[in-house]
């Protein structure tokens, strides 16, 4: 079963209901529902326009161990960073997996965050390195997805399978969510997630 959230039932300028709007680290994240003429499903998007170490928005009523999470995102601005990510198996704002695409670095990287400390994870079949290079154009909509089952995570970006990661740090089920970094202004729409039995 898949759920799709497009933020169109929330009033513009408000925070979306049913979310933990927080951050990993420090700062002042700002998550609001806003109208956007370019939204993949009009009229609204979820916008992160604050500034924090890692702004996170976690969907409160989700509890998935094996499944998938996918979102459409548009990196708008950000001089320190310009990133968008999806979170899974989140216990809270300090413990989760995240895969993120970065428009300043043109790459996609998967991390674990444990007790607020973020560590990038090695790609299956490759020692070392840092994620995978991929074009992440600013001002355009992209699709980022992770399928996760057991210790295996498969990352797909703009319809292309990029890489797999193996990690057993966070084995229990948890919440899904969205993520940005630093001064990233990022739009999100069409968040799809589901459990695989």
């Amino acid at each position: 079963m898949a759920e799709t959230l497009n933020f169109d039932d929330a009033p513009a300028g408000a925070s979306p209901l049913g979310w933990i709007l927080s951050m990993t680290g420090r700062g002042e994240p700002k998550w609001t529902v806003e109208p956007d003429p370019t939204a993949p499903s009009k009229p609204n998007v979820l916008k992160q326009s604050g500034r924090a170490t890692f702004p996170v928005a976690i969907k409160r009523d989700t509890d998935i161990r094996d499944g998938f999470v996918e979102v459409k995102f548009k990196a708008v601005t950000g001089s320190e960073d310009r990133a968008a990510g999806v979170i899974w198996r989140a216990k809270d704002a300090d413990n989760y997996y995240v895969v993120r695409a970065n428009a300043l670095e043109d790459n996609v990287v998967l991390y674990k965050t444990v007790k607020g400390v973020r560590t990038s994870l090695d790609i299956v079949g490759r020692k070392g390195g840092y994620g995978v290079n991929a074009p992440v154009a600013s001002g355009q909509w992209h699709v980022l997805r992770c399928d996760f089952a057991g210790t295996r995570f498969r990352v797909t970006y703009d319809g292309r399978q990029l890489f797999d990661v193996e990690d057993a740090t966070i084995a229990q089920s948890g919440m899904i969510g969205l993520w940005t970094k630093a001064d990233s202004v990022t739009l999100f729409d069409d968040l799809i997630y589901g459990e695989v039995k």
Side-chain angles (χ1 to χ4, degrees):
M1 285 297 296
E3 295 275 336
T4 302
L5 295 176
N6 54 24
F7 310 105
D8 293 337
D9 54 358
S15 299
L17 294 174
W19 290 77
I20 301 162
L21 304 172
S22 185
M23 68 198 148
T24 310
R26 304 154 84 136
E28 288 187 30
K30 185 183 179 193
W31 294 91
T32 51
V33 175
E34 304 288 349
D36 185 270
T38 71
S41 56
K42 292 175 179 42
N44 293 343
V45 298
L46 180 61
K47 179 180 186 181
Q48 201 299 118
S49 57
R51 193 188 177 105
T53 314
F54 304 114
V56 296
I58 298 172
K59 186 78 175 74
R60 202 185 291 277
D61 63 356
T62 54
D63 187 30
I64 300 172
R65 182 176 187 272
D66 297 333
F68 69 93
V69 58
E70 173 182 309
V71 76
K72 293 177 181 151
F73 75 88
K74 179 159 82 169
V76 182
T77 59
S79 54
E80 191 181 323
D81 223 297
R82 201 173 299 170
V86 289
I87 285 172
W88 64 98
R89 292 192 191 160
K91 189 171 85 173
D92 51 35
D94 287 329
N95 296 276
Y96 53 82
Y97 286 109
V98 58
V99 62
R100 69 99 182 104
N102 188 313
L104 294 186
E105 297 177 12
D106 276 332
N107 61 16
V108 177
V109 183
L110 197 153
Y111 307 87
K112 63 180 177 184
T113 300
V114 178
K115 295 181 182 169
V117 177
R118 186 181 77 151
T119 312
S120 64
L121 296 173
D122 282 340
I123 288 166
V124 171
R126 189 184 87 188
K127 279 281 174 246
Y130 183 66
V132 163
N133 291 335
V136 185
S138 299
Q140 290 179 21
W141 287 96
H142 302 280
V143 184
L144 184 62
R145 176 182 174 112
C146 185
D147 292 86
F148 47 96
T151 58
R152 191 88 172 198
F153 314 134
R154 174 160 289 167
V155 175
T156 307
Y157 171 68
D158 281 350
R160 190 165 66 94
Q161 193 183 308
L162 284 191
F163 60 84
D164 286 19
V165 163
E166 285 265 356
D167 188 72
T169 307
I170 305 171
Q172 68 279 20
S173 62
M175 297 173 282
I176 61 99
L178 300 168
W179 177 103
T180 71
K181 182 181 175 188
D183 63 344
S184 302
V185 175
T186 309
L187 309 181
F188 296 94
D189 201 1
D190 294 345
L191 171 66
I192 307 170
Y193 61 92
E195 193 165 7
V196 176
K197 290 290 188 202

